[in-house]
Amino acid sequence: MEFRMIDRIRERTAQARDDVRLGIGDDAALLAVPAGQELAVAIDTLVEGVHFPVGTAPADIGWKALAVNLSDLAAMGATPAWALLALTLPRPDAAFVDGLADGFAQLARQHRLALVGGDTTRGPLTLSVAVHGFVPPGQALTRAGARVGDAVLVTGTLGDAAAGLRCLQAQMDVQTSMHAALVERLNRPTPRLAAGLALRGRASACLDVSDGLLADLGHLCEANGVGAEIDAALLPRSSALLGLFDEVAARDFALAGGDDYELCFTVPAARVAEVQADLARLGCGATRIGRIVAGEGVRVRDADGSWLEQGRQGWDHFPA
Amino acid sequence: MEFRMIDRIRERTAQARDDVRLGIGDDAALLAVPAGQELAVAIDTLVEGVHFPVGTAPADIGWKALAVNLSDLAAMGATPAWALLALTLPRPDAAFVDGLADGFAQLARQHRLALVGGDTTRGPLTLSVAVHGFVPPGQALTRAGARVGDAVLVTGTLGDAAAGLRCLQAQMDVQTSMHAALVERLNRPTPRLAAGLALRGRASACLDVSDGLLADLGHLCEANGVGAEIDAALLPRSSALLGLFDEVAARDFALAGGDDYELCFTVPAARVAEVQADLARLGCGATRIGRIVAGEGVRVRDADGSWLEQGRQGWDHFPA
């Protein structure tokens, strides 16, 4: 199985790069990192039924497996270069592999990324992608560096992917453009690579929102020994999300829904306007949603000024 | 689950390296490739029940997941440096993760390899490891370069791992040292990294034997538009293999059994003795098993001088 599969994938994802000295087909790829650049590397796995619903189109699976990894490079302010794909499939299925490779290649070409190696094995449908990017020494964005008083911002809008998943799970019979927009955000997340580059030297800390804003911002706070306060009323939400769900559901998707793949970052207050102007120019925009404070944990202020706390069904006002 | 798991793995696999600028714990690792070196990268997946038997000890799984990848670097003549580990587990299981990390670390430390990143997800037990090594430009061993007349050699012994799997599958009640030696070869393959380095500038082509000698040597021949002739009587086989299986079974394991992770390589005939002396000094040895010929495909001559062909149950003499 392996060799024919790999040939199909190679043909469909071809992308010439001078720094690929030997690509797919040998025991390892041989690659040249440009002088004066460090390598940023990450790996992420998608498992059917866990990270994407059973029945997701192969092209969407291929796109998403690469997108979630490119999002990690975006969060570091790195420029993508190469990827490896480890694909586990229950049985050889040429149409499935072709679709998957096409979706992967569609996103890869947007960023001139070359697939340089991989592995295909038999087993439950699972994809691991490892990505490699470049960043000049000392210029990478990391989770460390947020200071008390820094503003907290996010790119794009939050909660769409989780809402899209809810639409699919509830088998909502709403084939509207709003429905389609949310499902598209679930299946075809946009890694914020240009935003990550623009944040080099400006963001004091950065990560991507994969597990949900509160969980990921919590990680950022923990890495810096600080806390954060978020204003729910400031959370950027798409018109599709607000059109299909009520205010409380939309808020909770934005706070805790996963799979956003937006960047969450901190910036000294004096530089917020400049950063926002640049990210607006890049198309994704950036919204100030709160601030870094002394202490620990993430607190959320609701629109009426009261604090929210996490309950069984979502977020509730603190008991008085 | 993810964060605590990763912390456990990080602690148990710690390995200091100056070229790791930022290790496990951020969105990506930051790494410095030494000046004047190219990067060799490979990825391989192990699926429970496919690449290792259900019930394999976690430490053996961790070792093997790294070993099969290091074997790819060995086949390129590369020096290992870093790895990423994508681990998919049915449920959080601290004892399992600890054992797996310990087995991984045991092999990693032998080669000063640092685990720099990873991902833990929920799903059927699967591990993908991506490895990174260094090789000076132009010095990597590849599958291309074998010429008609070159000798074909292999390191170590062949067929042990497949025989070890047979022992387990047949639930052979032979707790002898021979049985243990074969199962050890299945569970704890030895990547031939020192041999790979020694072959730089000497082997005309090289790969590692993972799918079985005939399959892999077939790939090497195909990559070079040549054929190969192998003498079954020359196949290096361990005393454990010959002690537990009859001559025909041992021959077939050596020809077609997978999971050997020995190196198969070609050398101009005039340099065979020199290469053999060096690899003997490294402990694994190298045995001349045949030669590269014009044509295509791999032919096997049996001890009596007749040619073998693949049958349903193994290898048979050609019908007259």
Side-chain angles (χ1 to χ4, degrees), chain A residues 3 21-22 25-31 33 38-45 47 50-51 72 75-76 82 84 86 88 118-119 121-124 128 130 132 135 140 142-143 206-208 219, chain B residues 3 21-22 25-31 33 38-45 47 50-51 72 75-76 82 84 86 88 118-119 121-124 128 130 132 135 140 142-143 206-208 219:
Chain A
F3 274 75
R21 300 293 152 80
L22 185 65
D26 216 299
D27 289 299
L30 295 173
L31 307 165
V33 175
E38 282 181 2
L39 197 64
V41 302
I43 192 166
D44 264 314
T45 300
V47 180
V50 179
H51 302 94
D72 284 324
M76 302 299 287
W82 316 306
L84 304 169
T88 302
D119 184 30
T121 54
R122 181 168 55 81
S128 289
H132 301 74
V135 62
T142 69
R143 297 181 178 197
C206 183
L207 46 57
D208 72 326
H219 297 149
Chain B
F3 273 75
R21 300 293 152 81
L22 185 65
D26 216 300
D27 290 298
L30 295 173
L31 306 166
V33 176
E38 282 180 3
L39 197 64
V41 302
I43 191 166
D44 264 315
T45 299
V47 179
V50 179
H51 302 94
D72 284 324
M76 303 299 288
W82 315 305
L84 304 170
T88 302
D119 185 30
T121 55
R122 183 168 54 81
S128 289
H132 301 74
V135 62
T142 70
R143 296 180 178 199
C206 183
L207 46 57
D208 72 326
H219 297 150

Side-chain angles (χ1 to χ4, degrees), chain B residues 262-285:
Chain B
E262 297 294 348
L263 299 183
C264 175
F265 57 96
T266 58
V267 178
R271 305 194 73 171
V272 169
E274 162 203 337
V275 164
Q276 285 185 309
D278 275 2
L279 268 57
R281 229 170 282 131
L282 293 174
C284 66

Side-chain angles (χ1 to χ4, degrees), chain B residues 146 148 219-227 292-296:
Chain B
V148 173
H219 297 150
L220 189 150
C221 287
E222 207 182 317
N224 291 283
V226 297
I292 297 295
V293 297
E296 60 180 20

Side-chain angles (χ1 to χ4, degrees), chain B residues 10 20 26 34 56 65 75 78 85 124 188 222 224 232 234 248 257 299:
Chain B
R10 173 166 47 187
V20 179
D26 216 300
T56 300
L85 167 64
R188 299 242 170 177
E222 207 182 317
N224 291 283
L234 300 179
V248 170
R299 298 209 303 163

